[in-house]
């Protein structure tokens, strides 16, 4: 079956512009995660969705970052007024079970490489 | 924030040799997973070891876990050029869902 897909694969934007990054999880996966990978910070957790709810937004670096998930499927990560330090690869993952399970293998998408000029 | 450290940060070996990467973490865990990443993009899940397990095998991969030392190792036997990638360990705590990643080991296998 299809894996996690993300779009766009690359995004170049100017400082101050808003961007939207999209994630299509594996069908039937109830949990969805966003991570960010940058040279200075490595791989960081951003936000977790269980269904359409985001019980944990603690990883979002600032209020310029927001995310939503609709229909228990597609998720969009929005960055407003982008800054150069937002440049990173944004990775989405999904898993079949939530944190109540002892086994939560997360399947990752190919990522979106965001470059803020 | 990073849970722990992998070492070495970079490793270069000849094809056919074994590669060993280590990972240390700081807090108690529910399980520990190893991922591979090619060219800075998507992560591929390799193997998961639960906190009550000590060793696990999958093909050419062998993972050990020592919870008393808060450390894990990944051994890749008979390495191939295609194994060239970055390898990350990631942990989840009890009742947690987010993966907390180490900084990774960059492995280069020379043909």
């Amino acid at each position: 079956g299809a894996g996690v897909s993300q779009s766009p694969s690359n995004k170049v934007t100017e400082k101050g512009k808003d961007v939207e990054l999209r994630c299509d999880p594996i069908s039937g996966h109830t949990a969805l995660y966003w991570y960010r990978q940058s040279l200075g910070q490595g791989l960081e957790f951003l936000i977790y969705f269980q269904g359409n709810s985001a019980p944990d937004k603690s990883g979002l670096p600032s209020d310029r970052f927001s995310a939503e998930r609709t229909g228990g499927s597609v998720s969009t990560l929005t960055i407003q007024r982008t800054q150069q330090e937002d440049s990173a690869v944004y990775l989405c993952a999904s898993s079949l079970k939530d944190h109540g399970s002892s086994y939560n293998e997360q399947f990752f998408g190919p990522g979106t490489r965001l470059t803020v000029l | 924030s990073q849970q722990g450290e992998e070492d070495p940060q970079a490793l270069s070996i000849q094809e056919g040799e074994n590669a060993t990467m280590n990972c240390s973490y700081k807090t108690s865990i529910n399980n520990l997973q190893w991922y591979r990443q090619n060219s800075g993009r998507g992560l591929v899940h390799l193997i998961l070891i639960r906190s009550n397990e000590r060793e696990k095998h999958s093909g050419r991969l062998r993972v050990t876990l020592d919870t008393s030392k808060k450390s894990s190792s990944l051994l890749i036997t008979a390495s191939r050029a295609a194994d060239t990638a970055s390898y990350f360990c990631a942990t989840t705590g009890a009742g947690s869902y987010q993966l907390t990643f180490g900084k990774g080991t960059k492995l280069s296998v020379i043909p």
Side-chain angles (χ1 to χ4, degrees):
Chain A
V4 178
S5 61
Q6 293 185 246
S7 61
S9 56
N10 286 284
K11 176 72 177 178
V12 180
T13 190
E14 293 179 349
K15 178 181 173 181
K17 295 284 180 68
D18 298 351
V19 295
E20 282 190 355
L21 312 179
R22 177 188 168 108
C23 171
D24 281 271
I26 293 172
S27 178
H29 281 194
T30 58
L32 185 147
Y33 316 78
W34 283 98
Y35 294 85
R36 177 172 74 172
Q37 185 175 29
S38 56
L39 280 176
Q41 299 298 321
L43 276 151
E44 303 172 283
F45 166 81
L46 297 179
I47 189 170
Y48 154 71
F49 285 92
Q50 175 59 32
N52 293 335
S53 301
D56 187 354
K57 304 178 182 179
S58 63
L60 295 178
S62 77
D63 58 9
R64 296 186 295 104
F65 287 71
S66 62
E68 64 175 14
R69 189 179 185 195
T70 55
S73 182
V74 172
S75 176
T76 303
L77 178 69
T78 301
I79 309 173
Q80 296 178 308
R81 305 181 302 281
T82 52
Q83 303 294 313
Q84 288 183 331
E85 61 262 29
D86 300 334
S87 295
V89 176
Y90 289 82
L91 293 161
C92 175
S94 68
S95 68
L96 188 58
K97 293 179 184 288
D98 63 13
H99 67 279
S101 169
S102 63
Y103 178 57
N104 60 338
E105 179 181 348
Q106 296 182 21
F107 295 83
F108 281 79
T112 294
R113 185 178 298 278
L114 174 66
T115 303
V116 182
L117 301 176
Chain B
S1 62
Q2 298 295 315
Q3 163 72 294
E5 305 281 335
E6 279 102 328
D7 80 273
Q9 290 186 333
L11 179 62
S12 184
I13 59 173
Q14 295 289 324
E15 200 165 30
E17 293 180 338
N18 296 341
T20 300
M21 289 160 271
N22 302 297
C23 165
S24 62
Y25 57 91
K26 297 175 183 174
T27 60
S28 61
I29 61 170
N30 188 38
N31 61 59
L32 184 145
Q33 304 177 50
W34 284 90
Y35 285 82
R36 183 183 73 215
Q37 186 179 42
N38 292 86
S39 304
R41 298 306 289 263
L43 290 154
V44 175
H45 183 265
L46 296 176
I47 195 166
L48 177 148
I49 186 165
R50 294 183 174 81
S51 59
N52 61 354
E53 297 176 312
R54 291 297 167 258
E55 187 171 312
K56 208 160 183 184
H57 297 254
S58 176
R60 293 184 297 113
L61 305 180
R62 173 178 169 252
V63 169
T64 63
L65 178 64
D66 186 336
T67 53
S68 66
K69 295 181 180 178
K70 291 187 169 59
S71 67
S72 173
S73 67
L74 171 67
L75 168 68
I76 303 174
T77 59
S79 63
R80 305 166 181 167
D83 295 329
T84 295
S86 291
Y87 291 82
F88 295 88
C89 68
T91 58
T92 55
S96 179
Y97 40 77
Q98 62 172 278
L99 290 170
T100 304
F101 286 88
K103 294 182 179 177
T105 293
K106 189 170 184 178
L107 174 66
S108 299
V109 181
I110 303 165

